[in-house]
Amino acid sequence: MPFQHICITGGLGFIGSHLVRLALTRWPGVRVTNLDLITYAGNEANLADCCGRPEYRFVRGDVRKPADALAALDGCDAVIHLAAESHVDRSILASDDFMTTNILGTHVMLEAARKVGVRRFLYVSTDEVYGSLPEPLAADEQYPLRPRSPYAASKTAADLLVQTYVTTHDFPALITRSSNNFGPYQYPEKLIPLFVTNLLEGRKVPLYGDGLNVRDWIYVTDHCEALAVVLERGRVGEVYNLGGGRGRTNREICDRLLAGLGKGESSIEYVADRPGHDRRYALNCDKIGRELGWQPTHSFEQALTATIEWYRTRRDWWEPIKSGAYKAYYEQQYGSRAKRSS
Ligand code: NAD
Ligand code: TYD
């Protein structure tokens, strides 16, 4: 491993917590600093097992604040920047934090990283930058960027900003664009954990529109392995797509979850569609396979079964989340939607 001390931002979130855990095991002796604000999506319980490790340091701070960024980057020679507002539906309800954290926060991290002189800066982008693709297209890294939600636009703005730092400042940045992740510790606002936990509670699952929107799903630890490989061996200035390999409709995901939890079709509630709902995401991931030899190692079916099992046995993790402010969010997001569909 060519780095001594990595700063991971957003390390108390879903993907970030898996990445911190992976970094501590994959790179023995390497120090890991986690910069996280602990928003509604950040959760110290996600990394309870790493807390006392001498190589691990947690800094509670805001990527929008230069002083916090510099404090976290003290002594670091690499950055993996994940901290973001990450949920499309929330960006439709209110997008201020998406703009400040995702765009300005990335700018602050870039500036702080330049000051400190890090040797690698990996920006974790998303396939949503390509927008909705018609069959049979799959976006490679040259495909035009056509974001269609406030979330996607904020990620695209930051993605482009990172690219300008490479060309303008000769800054050693790289970018990954991943498809939809799933796995343990995912906040129950995204499709899979929301549906699994609703079904475990004996509630219905709100399927948007006709349920035929297509997403490519990747197991979270496969994504984290890819981030590690790109940090270790990726070419500076390059973008790497990464995904699970094929698209599935939301209805297919829903049917698998229903089967996995012994529920029937009556548990589905078709609700009003998401405004501007992207119909289909599809990625061409040949480049990362060809150049870096990465490919996902988990089968979708086995990973989904393991994920269902994790939520079944970890009520202690998600039940406290699905109370309080979450209830208000759920009502705001789904209350009128369900009524409109009937
Ligand atoms: P998440 O919402 O689970 O976690 C985000 C983390 O960032 C939280 O711990 C939160 O506290 C922290 N954070 C938010 N605002 C912050 C701020 N201003 N300062 C410091 N920390 C802050 O997100 P996730 O699903 O783990 O996604 C992580 C990254 O990966 C994001 O950049 C997201 O755009 C990207 N991504 C996610 C997916 C996916 O399917 N989840 C797919 C592709 C790319
Ligand atoms: P989501 O997990 O929010 O990820 P993204 O919007 O970033 O792809 O949604 C995945 C798909 O599931 C998307 O097509 C929207 C759909 N969806 C529902 O049908 N119902 C829901 O309650 C949610 C949260 C998502």
Side-chain angles (χ1 to χ4, degrees), residues 72-311:
L73 287 182
D74 187 27
C76 291
D77 52 6
V79 178
I80 308 181
H81 177 43
L82 296 99
E85 288 294 331
S86 69
H87 190 36
V88 172
D89 287 325
R90 286 188 192 255
S91 81
I92 295 169
L93 286 176
S95 53
D96 293 23
D97 285 343
F98 288 76
M99 302 306 137
T100 58
T101 287
N102 298 6
I103 305 175
L104 300 178
T106 299
H107 180 244
V108 167
M109 287 306 302
L110 286 166
E111 282 297 312
R114 276 185 70 213
K115 249 182 214 140
V116 169
V118 304
R119 293 192 296 116
R120 286 289 182 280
F121 185 103
L122 171 53
Y123 173 66
V124 179
S125 190
T126 165
D127 63 354
E128 302 198 23
V129 299
Y130 300 119
S132 197
L133 276 83
E135 287 270 11
L137 292 185
D140 65 12
E141 291 80 357
Q142 303 305 320
Y143 195 83
L145 306 186
R146 294 188 179 121
R148 288 164 32 92
S149 72
Y151 163 70
S154 69
K155 291 295 290 186
T156 307
D159 185 312
L160 289 171
L161 188 62
V162 173
Q163 294 185 46
T164 68
Y165 270 60
V166 175
T167 48
T168 308
H169 298 299
D170 201 17
F171 182 70
L174 309 92
I175 294 171
T176 54
R177 297 184 184 141
S178 164
S179 65
N180 285 62
N181 286 227
F182 69 101
Y185 298 108
Q186 186 168 29
Y187 192 89
E189 63 188 353
K190 309 273 169 56
L191 178 76
I192 290 177
L194 177 71
F195 279 24
V196 172
T197 55
N198 272 18
L199 293 169
L200 286 168
E201 289 173 313
R203 303 172 63 177
K204 293 195 179 207
V205 295
L207 196 55
Y208 296 165
D210 61 7
L212 297 181
N213 300 64
V214 172
R215 297 290 183 269
D216 171 307
W217 293 93
I218 181 171
Y219 193 53
V220 61
T221 58
D222 280 333
H223 182 182
C224 292
E225 290 280 345
L227 295 177
V229 166
V230 171
L231 186 75
E232 287 168 353
R233 305 201 296 274
R235 283 189 294 138
V236 162
E238 294 294 316
V239 177
Y240 296 94
N241 285 347
L242 54 108
R246 90 165 174 85
R248 296 168 201 274
T249 64
N250 294 337
R251 179 63 206 245
E252 178 189 339
I253 302 295
C254 184
D255 287 344
R256 285 179 181 277
L257 298 178
L258 292 173
L261 287 155
K263 303 281 183 181
E265 273 204 38
S266 59
S267 291
I268 301 177
E269 180 171 25
Y270 281 94
V271 300
D273 208 353
R274 170 187 284 174
H277 193 174
D278 284 341
R279 190 66 172 170
R280 176 175 173 269
Y281 295 148
L283 279 179
N284 175 329
C285 301
D286 291 351
K287 180 177 173 181
I288 191 169
R290 195 176 57 242
E291 288 193 10
L292 305 179
W294 174 88
Q295 54 181 19
T297 58
H298 290 85
S299 93
F300 174 78
E301 292 75 13
Q302 285 171 5
L304 192 68
T305 302
T307 301
I308 294 172
E309 196 46 33
W310 189 85
Y311 283 92

